[in-house]
Amino acid sequence: MNDPTEPSPTDVPEATDVPEVPEAAAIVKKRHFRRTRTLFSPLTRLLSKIPHPPWGSKRGIFVLIILLGGFGTAVGVGGMTAISYSETPGFCGLCHTMDPELKAYAASAHNEVTCAECHINPGLGGFVKAKMNGTKQLLHILTGQYPTPIEPPDHQSLPPVTDSCLKCHSLENITANAGPVKLVLRPRYKSDQANTRETIAIMIRPAGLGQPSATTGDTADGNSDVKGVHWHVQQKVTYTSADEHAQKIDLVELTAKDGTVEQYIAGTQVGVSTDAKVDVDRLKTSQTTRTMDCIDCHNRVGHAVPSTDRAVDEAIGTGLISTKLPFIKRDSVALLNGNYATLAAADTAIDGLRATLATRYPLVAKTQATDITQAINELKLQYRLIATPAMKVQAKTYPDNLGHQTSPGCFRCHDGAHYLVVKGKITNKTIPSECATCHTFPQIGASATSFPLGAKPVTHKDKLWVFSHKLATRSSTSAGTSCSACHAPTYCSNCHNSGAIKVQHTEMLYQHAKVITKAGTQSCAYCHLPVYCAKCHKGPVLEPKLPPPGTPLALAARPAT
């Protein structure tokens, strides 16, 4: 009898019942291999037709190395080509969001400089950062989450000027021997009925000897005359601003060669004049401080958009817009300054110029029809070069700090309202704001024949000389006086004929509207630019709204004043 505790022979598992996992896995791998081989079989058959030595031989291994090397080289060269192309204007211009920048770039003097040379920091870190930022921008474009207009780059995100500007422009050449002077001579047309032509002449001094100390009146090298725009980068100048684009500067510091520091604070930031140290410390801790360099003034280099006034002047000067059309300068600027939703809306408004002239001057509209058509076509072209409605970009969208004609620019510091701080107290010394600080006094008139470049006489150093010189001479004719040593008759007559001398500045503070009306707005424009007035005035006075497209301008209501 069998022992019930002993296992039955039937209960013992046979060897064949044990699953052989390794063999099963091998079968699965083999199936995958067969599928992969089937997938690449056409390529394998093609390669097999090419004569080659056995791959296991020395010659075969050599050929294989050559093939792999060639493939790697092709991939590397292709990758580098793709990367290089991604840093060119052609690639950046593929995105419609870059249309305003691309148009300005094409018209600039830097149109042969690639985007990467000015926008990407050198080295691997800069490359990786740029590509990550580019990927982020691409996602914003694909999802439609990009801003309109596109924000200009932050100063801190751009490469240092030693790796961009100064690679081509030598600071030594710019500043040596006070630097080469630059004569700016161009025509300008008044906004009167005859579109009267004027000549603007100004001599810019690129470099100089230094800034006069507020305490001694002398510069670092003992000369009290300030001559030069590029003085700002010859000395160590820092500024403090809460705006990442530094359109409002609240504190300026100058460090002299002997280590002494001069501080100038904006009057609007001062609480108690006898204890300004509190305000200085507050600005330094709450705002960003930067060292002034090229980009602080040349912030739109490579992407500068001409002002509408300058664009119309150039079109008239080249004969593309005829001065025979009454008030064409004024009306053209008004049309180009319009805020239109689309290019079609802009074209409709510009086409309305024909109806405007027909209403005002029927005879002109009849006899000058060809000139009107040409002017309309030119204005449409100029608008496309200046503005991009789809991105909400106009000529005034991006402030240009180079100068002070279309935006505050130099006046961010040289506004006469940044006061020297001495021992914690505010003084009446300010950052120089005279015209002669960086250039000669502008000559605006029928002609310009003289440029006084010598040292100023003692009398001329009076800040109010432009107003008090009438006490030293009784005539605008310089002949027979000591004035003729430096000034030609046209230098005096250009200003005296402008009407500026009719302005009573002693009444300007509280009654300047009445004074301006009496003297004429053109009188103020001889010395002051719109941005100067914009420091106080806001709204429709400086930004009049245009009438609906096609409405004759003469029939439109005047903006409130």
Side-chain angles (χ1 to χ4, degrees):
M1 177 179 272
N2 295 333
D3 186 354
T5 61
E6 295 180 1
S8 173
T10 58
D11 295 332
V12 179
E14 298 179 359
T16 57
D17 294 335
V18 179
E20 298 179 2
V21 177
E23 293 184 6
I27 292 173
V28 174
K29 291 181 179 179
K30 185 177 293 185
R31 288 177 181 174
H32 283 302
F33 176 74
R34 288 174 180 174
R35 291 175 184 173
T36 304
R37 186 173 62 180
T38 302
L39 180 64
F40 288 97
S41 59
L43 179 61
T44 305
R45 288 195 298 269
L46 177 62
L47 294 176
S48 64
K49 295 179 181 180
I50 301 175
H52 62 83
W55 296 122
S57 64
K58 292 182 178 180
R59 295 178 61 191
I61 295 175
F62 177 74
V63 172
L64 184 61
I65 292 174
I66 294 297
L67 291 176
L68 292 176
F71 178 76
T73 302
V75 171
V77 172
M80 291 300 297
T81 302
I83 291 174
S84 298
Y85 176 65
S86 69
E87 298 175 350
T88 61
F91 176 82
C92 298
L94 294 176
C95 298
H96 71 281
T97 56
M98 290 292 108
D99 283 350
E101 285 75 14
L102 195 63
K103 289 187 294 187
Y105 166 83
S108 75
H110 291 80
N111 56 18
E112 294 183 358
V113 180
T114 62
C115 304
E117 292 183 71
C118 295
H119 288 273
I120 298 180
N121 282 282
L124 180 61
F127 173 81
V128 172
K129 180 181 178 181
K131 297 311 171 187
M132 290 179 63
N133 187 41
T135 302
K136 180 181 178 181
Q137 292 177 10
L138 180 59
L139 291 176
H140 288 168
I141 292 174
L142 293 176
T143 57
Q145 297 180 349
Y146 53 86
T148 54
I150 295 294
E151 283 289 325
D154 179 16
H155 192 152
Q156 298 292 85
S157 67
L158 296 173
V161 295
T162 52
D163 295 321
S164 55
C165 308
L166 298 182
K167 288 178 64 177
C168 299
H169 302 279
S170 170
L171 185 60
E172 289 75 17
N173 291 341
I174 294 175
T175 59
N177 299 319
V181 294
K182 179 181 179 181
L183 172 63
V184 176
L185 188 66
R186 64 179 181 86
R188 185 180 77 170
Y189 297 86
K190 297 175 67 174
S191 298
D192 55 10
Q193 179 174 341
N195 308 296
T196 305
R197 177 189 171 103
E198 294 180 320
T199 297
I200 296 180
I202 188 172
M203 191 77 76
I204 299 176
R205 304 181 179 101
L209 298 174
Q211 173 74 2
S213 168
T215 55
T216 65
D218 294 331
T219 61
D221 7 21
N223 193 311
S224 59
D225 286 332
V226 180
K227 296 180 180 179
V229 176
H230 290 109
W231 166 88
H232 300 82
V233 291
Q234 290 178 276
Q235 312 293 324
K236 182 180 179 181
V237 182
T238 61
Y239 64 88
T240 302
S241 175
D243 175 16
E244 65 177 356
H245 302 302
Q247 291 306 301
K248 183 176 182 294
I249 295 176
D250 294 322
L251 181 67
V252 179
E253 290 188 342
L254 163 65
T255 302
K257 294 180 180 180
D258 60 2
T260 58
V261 177
E262 291 183 353
Q263 295 177 327
Y264 295 85
I265 188 172
T268 55
Q269 294 294 327
V270 179
V272 180
S273 62
T274 56
D275 188 16
K277 185 178 183 303
V278 175
D279 299 304
V280 172
D281 293 340
R282 171 178 55 84
L283 294 175
K284 284 190 172 184
T285 55
S286 63
Q287 298 186 4
T288 302
T289 299
R290 301 189 183 104
T291 300
M292 187 168 287
D293 58 27
C294 310
I295 302 176
D296 288 301
C297 295
H298 299 270
N299 65 315
R300 296 302 298 173
V301 62
H303 300 286
V305 177
S307 67
T308 53
D309 189 83
R310 180 73 64 87
V312 174
D313 281 342
E314 292 181 356
I316 296 178
T318 54
L320 296 174
I321 296 180
S322 175
T323 55
K324 296 179 181 179
L325 304 177
F327 290 106
I328 191 62
K329 167 65 185 293
R330 183 193 65 183
D331 295 347
S332 296
V333 171
L335 288 168
L336 291 182
N337 278 333
N339 187 10
Y340 310 107
T342 63
L343 288 175
D347 289 345
T348 301
I350 295 173
D351 284 331
L353 180 62
R354 192 184 304 276
T356 299
L357 290 173
T359 302
R360 293 179 186 167
Y361 309 100
L363 183 60
V364 171
K366 181 178 180 179
T367 58
Q368 305 292 132
T370 302
D371 290 335
I372 295 174
T373 300
Q374 182 173 319
I376 290 174
N377 292 337
E378 178 62 20
L379 289 176
K380 289 180 179 179
L381 174 60
Q382 289 296 333
Y383 185 81
R384 282 162 171 77
L385 294 175
I386 291 174
T388 308
M391 293 303 299
K392 297 181 180 180
V393 172
Q394 297 177 284
K396 58 185 177 182
T397 299
Y398 298 114
D400 191 341
N401 297 333
L402 189 62
H404 46 75
Q405 293 185 311
T406 59
S407 59
C410 307
F411 291 158
R412 294 174 299 160
C413 299
H414 297 269
D415 59 350
H418 283 70
Y419 300 92
L420 177 68
V421 180
V422 177
K423 296 181 180 181
K425 297 181 180 181
I426 298 297
T427 68
N428 62 354
K429 299 289 184 179
T430 62
I431 296 177
S433 57
E434 299 177 9
C435 294
T437 301
C438 297
H439 54 73
T440 59
F441 191 84
Q443 294 189 58
I444 306 174
S447 61
T449 57
S450 65
F451 295 92
L453 298 177
K456 289 184 180 180
V458 177
T459 54
H460 290 45
K461 295 181 181 181
D462 179 8
K463 291 183 178 181
L464 298 178
W465 175 251
V466 68
F467 304 112
S468 61
H469 71 277
K470 63 183 179 181
L471 302 177
T473 179
R474 296 295 180 182
S475 172
S476 61
T477 302
S478 59
T481 68
S482 59
C483 304
S484 62
C486 300
H487 302 292
T490 54
Y491 187 89
C492 305
S493 60
N494 282 344
C495 180
H496 281 255
N497 293 338
S498 69
I501 60 174
K502 298 178 182 178
V503 179
Q504 300 297 319
H505 287 80
T506 54
E507 302 176 13
M508 287 290 289
L509 182 59
Y510 300 109
Q511 303 185 49
H512 66 278
K514 179 180 178 181
V515 174
I516 291 172
T517 302
K518 183 178 179 181
T521 56
Q522 288 294 323
S523 302
C524 300
Y526 186 85
C527 297
H528 299 290
L529 297 166
V531 294
Y532 185 88
C533 305
K535 292 191 296 183
C536 296
H537 290 277
K538 306 291 181 185
V541 175
L542 293 176
E543 299 178 1
K545 295 182 179 180
L546 289 177
T551 302
L553 296 182
L555 304 181
R558 294 182 179 180
T561 55

